[in-house]
Amino acid sequence: DLPNNMIHQVAIKSLPQEWLWCETWCSDETKEMAKTIDLCNNPKTKEPKLKAAVRIVPEWNDYDNEIKELSKRMEEQKKDNHTKANLQSSAPKRDEL
């Protein structure tokens, strides 16, 4: 909305449709040329964005699974680091022996 309001103060150029493809106003034939895909809410279908993403972007599941796996590894690493820190802090110190 901001660019629309500033159009009289700043020279704004419109990008070609391929820079922001959206199912709501673009044809399926033009999706192949899209440089970005807007997973906008389609007022006709009310389909949730993540469900639309899986349908519109074929590789979405691969990306989603990769991120979930990375997140899981990071959580495990965080737990391991926390456990190691607890073991080190509970071990007797040299001068305590």
Side-chain angles (χ1 to χ4, degrees):
D1 290 338
L2 183 59
N4 292 335
N5 291 321
M6 295 181 63
I7 200 157
H8 300 293
Q9 290 84 18
V10 180
I12 296 175
K13 305 282 185 203
S14 293
L15 289 172
Q17 177 180 304
E18 66 197 32
W19 282 95
L20 189 59
W21 186 92
C22 180
E23 186 176 49
T24 304
W25 63 80
C26 300
S27 69
D28 288 339
E29 294 79 29
T30 61
K31 184 172 88 169
E32 189 176 301
M33 298 175 289
K35 297 187 187 318
T36 62
I37 295 177
D38 183 353
L39 297 171
C40 53
N41 288 324
N42 187 334
K44 294 177 185 174
T45 64
K46 307 280 191 213
E47 180 180 29
K49 285 187 180 186
L50 291 178
K51 190 173 181 182
V54 170
R55 183 177 51 75
I56 295 169
V57 184
E59 60 273 17
W60 184 271
N61 280 325
D62 296 336
Y63 296 148
D64 193 41
N65 289 334
E66 187 175 340
I67 294 298
K68 285 176 183 172
E69 200 52 44
L70 176 62
S71 179
K72 181 180 172 184
R73 286 196 312 264
M74 290 179 72
E75 276 300 313
E76 288 170 359
Q77 184 178 11
K78 190 175 172 182
K79 286 178 186 174
D80 288 347
N81 290 342
H82 185 69
T83 302
K84 287 177 187 175
N86 284 340
L87 289 174
Q88 287 175 349
S89 67
S90 65
K93 311 275 187 282
R94 271 176 116 179
D95 56 345
E96 293 175 350
L97 297 174

